[in-house]
Amino acid sequence: ELYEAENYSKVLKKYQIASLRTAQSLSFLGFGQNVIFSVSMATMMSLVVSGIIKGNCTIGDLVMVNGLLMQLAIPLNFLGTVYREVKQALVDMETLFNLQLVKSNIQ
């Protein structure tokens, strides 16, 4: 049993390290996406404000652009989350099926 406990501890430690790396990469990805969205949102808002100052746009245009960008960004973010969850579920299923093929050393 000592051998199994040590082996389990090693495998669990590797899993924890991989899980931490995955969480870090997802955090960096989310941060990058938020930076891109925020910069583009600020750029679009400044362009519309510039148009309002010149008299080419109205306040309604500002509200419309803001609403349009938000309505595009939120579903895309949700779609990315669903894609990631489905992909992880497929990987987990593949691992499970491969695990079923492994012959046990203990009979």
Side-chain angles (χ1 to χ4, degrees), residues 37-56:
F37 177 73
S38 297
V39 168
S40 63
M41 183 78 148
T43 303
M44 292 298 290
M45 290 294 111
S46 65
L47 288 173
V48 174
V49 168
S50 173
I52 290 172
I53 292 171
K54 292 178 183 176
N56 297 332

Side-chain angles (χ1 to χ4, degrees), residues 6-41:
E6 288 176 1
N7 207 13
Y8 178 74
S9 294
K10 289 177 186 177
V11 171
L12 185 61
K13 188 154 191 95
K14 286 181 184 179
Y15 176 78
Q16 288 172 340
I17 290 170
S19 178
L20 184 61
R21 286 183 183 160
T22 301
Q24 285 175 338
S25 68
L26 287 175
S27 295
F28 288 135
L29 178 64
F31 175 75
Q33 287 175 340
N34 285 331
V35 166
I36 291 169
F37 177 73
S38 297
V39 168
S40 63
M41 183 78 148

